[in-house]
Amino acid sequence: MVLKHKHDHDACIETALEAAQKICEERETRFTPLRRRVLELVWSKHEPITAYEVLDLLSEGQKRVAPPTVYRALDFLIEEGFVHRIESLNAFVGCSDPAHKHQGHFMICTKCSNVTEMNERSLHDVIEAAAKANGYSYENSILEIAGICENCRN
Amino acid sequence: MVLKHKHDHDACIETALEAAQKICEERETRFTPLRRRVLELVWSKHEPITAYEVLDLLSEGQKRVAPPTVYRALDFLIEEGFVHRIESLNAFVGCSDPAHKHQGHFMICTKCSNVTEMNERSLHDVIEAAAKANGYSYENSILEIAGICENCRN
DNA sequence: GATGACTTGATATTCTATAACATTCAGGGC
DNA sequence: GCCCTGAATGTTATAGAATATCAAGTCATC
Ligand SMILES: [Zn+2]
Ligand SMILES: [Zn+2]
Ligand SMILES: [Zn+2]
Ligand SMILES: [Zn+2]
């Protein structure tokens, strides 16, 4: 995998886990060992990871877990805003800004599979305006843009 | 189902079929009876329809067809731009402007399931600009906005 | 009527996700 | 401590979505 910027990914994972831990304490929701482990596995790649890939990793060195175990943990993590689901890939990715609940908008590189989360207020506003212009109230939106990232073009 | 505007849906279907027929003649692609029938079934509701719903309808009064039959026909129709896939619903919907190939952007009513296709150049431009701003080349994009339509709010 | 490209049929399997019910675990009141 | 309760996890089975593979049919062209 080609990372956009080389970095200490272990630290990257650790930061995400600590942030989640802290948020759960504030919200008084339960960041159980299982949920923590699943979040860790989602962050183990910068690429989106499928539920069954998580399942395989989670099952290493122990009795194989069943799908509901993974899906329930993912549901919790999505609900809390620590993970986003990428609809076009049936896959999951850690959120880059878990402190503020939001719908993620994504760029997906078709070469290296890296994903960039865009949290641009302006983009969100344009989308909401488009909904209103078409007579719809706005609830949420999925935006997934496929393209080739800077790294892969060079 | 609540239609946004009451209309003669049979005529609506017929128009879509004729448009497809004409485009295929121009492109010299094969609008076979099966493909025609699948497009007709996709248009049979204004709501998105799943591949297996198409399969069930297609199988009525005859030997049950197999999934690849439906998926191949849908692939063709998508390729030609007569049908769009709604990622967030694993479902398919007829394109409102088949004459011009494009990526569809959609509003989806969470109450009545009606879908509105938005083909607004400005929206497309904003999305493409956002991709560029994040260092990505643009290939295509999925935009699916959930909300409640005008009818359902009244 | 043989050739080859495309389309459809048929069988099996893979991948994704959820339903339903049992068991375990954490915390609060007694 | 013990019981109660609700949440979390375990377990089994099934549903839902999509594809791989190979066989058979169709159709235009040589
Ligand atoms: Zn996010
Ligand atoms: Zn890339
Ligand atoms: Zn369209
Ligand atoms: Zn509606």
Side-chain angles (χ1 to χ4, degrees):
Chain A
M1 180 189 60
V2 183
L3 290 177
K4 214 170 168 188
H5 305 291
K6 281 208 156 63
H7 65 289
D8 181 347
H9 193 47
D10 288 346
C12 180
I13 295 173
E14 198 50 43
T15 302
L17 293 175
E18 279 170 17
Q21 173 97 45
K22 181 155 164 287
I23 292 167
C24 284
E25 279 166 14
E26 286 166 13
R27 294 180 188 158
E28 298 186 37
T29 54
R30 295 177 56 192
F31 196 51
T32 64
L34 175 65
R35 290 166 174 174
R36 181 189 178 88
R37 176 73 179 130
V38 169
L39 181 57
E40 187 181 10
L41 291 172
V42 169
W43 273 100
S44 67
K45 310 198 293 179
H46 266 284
E47 299 169 64
I49 188 169
T50 70
Y52 278 75
E53 284 172 343
V54 171
L55 198 161
D56 288 341
L57 293 170
L58 191 56
S59 300
E60 279 180 5
Q62 65 165 96
K63 186 164 183 294
R64 185 170 178 81
V65 303
T69 299
V70 172
Y71 280 102
R72 283 189 294 228
L74 287 171
D75 286 346
F76 171 84
L77 297 171
I78 289 168
E79 178 65 28
E80 294 293 328
F82 305 154
V83 166
H84 295 294
R85 181 181 153 79
I86 310 286
E87 295 291 337
S88 61
L89 302 175
N90 290 342
F92 304 85
V93 67
C95 175
S96 59
D97 182 17
H100 309 96
K101 277 196 190 179
H102 60 274
Q103 178 87 20
H105 292 158
F106 297 94
M107 302 278 341
I108 305 165
C109 178
T110 52
K111 274 207 173 164
C112 71
S113 298
N114 259 283
V115 158
T116 304
E117 184 171 351
M118 302 181 287
N119 287 320
E120 294 167 30
R121 186 75 220 165
S122 62
L123 193 51
H124 180 279
D125 289 345
V126 170
I127 290 170
E128 193 159 342
K132 298 242 160 69
N134 282 276
Y136 280 73
S137 67
Y138 178 87
E139 289 180 2
N140 61 66
S141 61
I142 293 158
L143 175 59
E144 297 170 12
I145 309 177
I148 299 182
C149 76
E150 208 153 15
N151 250 343
C152 289
R153 286 207 311 284
N154 299 339
Chain B
M1 181 188 62
V2 183
L3 289 178
K4 214 171 170 189
H5 305 291
K6 281 207 157 61
H7 67 289
D8 180 349
H9 193 47
D10 287 346
C12 181
I13 296 173
E14 198 49 45
T15 302
L17 292 176
E18 279 170 16
Q21 173 96 47
K22 183 156 162 286
I23 292 166
C24 283
E25 279 167 13
E26 285 167 14
R27 293 180 188 158
E28 298 186 37
T29 54
R30 295 176 56 190
F31 196 51
T32 64
L34 175 65
R35 290 165 175 174
R36 181 189 178 88
R37 176 72 179 134
V38 169
L39 181 57
E40 187 181 10
L41 291 172
V42 169
W43 273 100
S44 67
K45 310 198 292 181
H46 264 285
E47 300 169 61
I49 189 171
T50 70
Y52 279 74
E53 285 171 342
V54 171
L55 197 160
D56 288 342
L57 293 171
L58 192 56
S59 300
E60 279 179 4
Q62 64 163 95
K63 185 162 184 294
R64 186 171 178 78
V65 303
T69 299
V70 172
Y71 281 101
R72 284 189 292 226
L74 287 171
D75 286 347
F76 172 84
L77 297 171
I78 290 168
E79 178 65 28
E80 294 293 328
F82 305 153
V83 166
H84 295 293
R85 182 182 152 81
I86 311 287
E87 295 291 337
S88 60
L89 302 175
N90 290 343
F92 304 84
V93 67
C95 174
S96 59
D97 182 17
H100 309 96
K101 277 197 190 179
H102 60 274
Q103 178 87 19
H105 292 157
F106 297 95
M107 302 277 342
I108 304 165
C109 178
T110 53
K111 277 206 171 165
C112 71
S113 299
N114 258 283
V115 157
T116 304
E117 183 171 350
M118 302 180 287
N119 286 318
E120 294 167 30
R121 187 73 220 167
S122 62
L123 193 52
H124 181 278
D125 288 345
V126 170
I127 291 170
E128 193 159 342
K132 297 244 160 70
N134 281 277
Y136 280 73
S137 67
Y138 178 87
E139 288 180 3
N140 61 66
S141 61
I142 292 158
L143 174 60
E144 296 170 13
I145 309 177
I148 299 182
C149 76
E150 210 153 15
N151 252 342
C152 289
R153 286 206 311 284
N154 300 338

